[in-house]
Amino acid sequence: DQQVKQNSPSLSVQEGRISILNCDYTNSMFDYFLWYKKYPAEGPTFLISISSIKDKNEDGRFTVFLNKSAKHLSLHIVPSQPGDSAVYFCAAKWVGLAGGGNKLTFGTGTQLKVEL
Amino acid sequence: NAGVTQTPKFQVLKTGQSMTLQCAQDMNHEYMSWYRQDPGMGLRLIHYSVGAGITDQGEVPNGYNVSRSTTEDFPLRLLSAAPSQTSVYFCASSFQGWGYTFGSGTRLTVV
């Protein structure tokens, strides 16, 4: 049972345009969401996060939106740059669960390619 | 450099062999965890620890053992390797569940 889903395995956008990566979740207890970026042969690196008490969080070119009623979040990258080409993982956790702060549930990832 | 160090980076095992994947962090993080990444599956939690002497199972713990004798180290042991354990393994640490830092991974092949 995939509790965090990223239905688009890949996305291709032109440099300078907006990249929108989507993520859906089924567990209504999740209350904290994170996005990770992963280059080949490297570990995931933290990009941006959002608490369930917010609907938007922004950090430079990266903005995450959360729609709790739809159990959906999205990552917007504006403008997209070639260096953004990587696999992006959405992750969620239930902070209130005993030990839950240490349990990240990941989506399957979206391969973003930013073309010149 | 501060961070999470995993060794080895690559390993090939024969079915039935045992080995230990090492993970060390120098950030004094209490929380450490092991994930495996498989194609089309994302990262799945194997075991985690919230401090020295405390470990618990994650989503896919079967075939793996862990122990946490120090804050810095969190080794993952495969007692009898199986082809289904062919994967890329990532260790991560965090400050009380915030700000996860991942190692660069161990690519394991079981033949």
Side-chain angles (χ1 to χ4, degrees):
Chain A
D1 178 28
Q2 192 74 28
Q3 296 187 66
V4 178
K5 302 176 183 179
Q6 294 177 256
N7 292 319
S8 297
S10 63
L11 175 67
S12 183
V13 300
Q14 283 193 317
E15 182 181 11
R17 305 295 291 268
I18 184 172
S19 296
I20 300 176
L21 295 92
N22 293 305
C23 178
D24 297 292
Y25 62 96
T26 58
N27 189 339
S28 59
M29 301 305 295
F30 287 145
D31 53 10
Y32 198 80
F33 305 89
L34 308 92
W35 284 94
Y36 282 84
K37 177 179 179 180
K38 185 183 181 303
Y39 293 116
E42 294 184 11
T45 55
F46 171 74
L47 195 55
I48 193 169
S49 63
I50 187 167
S51 165
S52 61
I53 63 173
K54 294 185 175 183
D55 54 19
K56 177 183 175 181
N57 189 27
E58 191 171 357
D59 184 2
R61 296 186 297 114
F62 303 91
T63 303
V64 56
F65 296 91
L66 175 62
N67 183 333
K68 284 176 55 181
S69 61
K71 295 189 179 67
H72 176 83
L73 63 156
S74 60
L75 174 68
H76 292 209
I77 306 173
V78 183
S80 301
Q81 300 173 353
D84 295 330
S85 297
V87 176
Y88 289 79
F89 289 99
C90 169
K93 65 177 180 178
W94 177 15
V95 176
L97 175 68
N102 207 37
K103 292 183 178 179
L104 287 178
T105 300
F106 282 84
T108 53
T110 297
Q111 172 74 61
L112 173 66
K113 183 176 180 182
V114 179
E115 299 174 318
L116 296 172
Chain B
N1 292 334
V4 177
T5 302
Q6 289 184 238
T7 56
K9 292 192 181 302
F10 302 93
Q11 183 71 49
V12 178
L13 286 180
K14 293 183 178 179
T15 297
Q17 285 186 317
S18 64
M19 81 160 294
T20 299
L21 279 65
Q22 302 292 344
C23 176
Q25 53 92 8
D26 57 3
M27 297 172 285
N28 203 32
H29 286 167
E30 291 294 329
Y31 284 37
M32 296 186 75
S33 48
W34 277 101
Y35 291 85
R36 60 177 287 174
Q37 183 191 7
D38 302 293
M41 300 290 290
L43 282 81
R44 292 181 292 169
L45 181 64
I46 305 171
H47 284 285
Y48 67 97
S49 170
V50 297
I54 306 170
T55 64
D56 206 344
Q57 296 181 352
E59 182 184 356
V60 288
N62 292 340
Y64 307 95
N65 282 345
V66 293
S67 60
R68 184 96 179 269
S69 57
T70 66
T71 298
E72 295 78 19
D73 300 297
F74 191 43
L76 179 72
R77 282 183 288 276
L78 285 71
L79 297 179
S80 179
S84 61
Q85 294 178 304
T86 294
S87 187
V88 181
Y89 292 85
F90 291 101
C91 178
S93 74
S94 70
F95 175 68
Q96 296 184 351
W98 306 103
Y100 289 82
T101 300
F102 282 81
S104 57
T106 294
R107 184 175 293 274
L108 175 68
T109 302
V110 182
V111 298

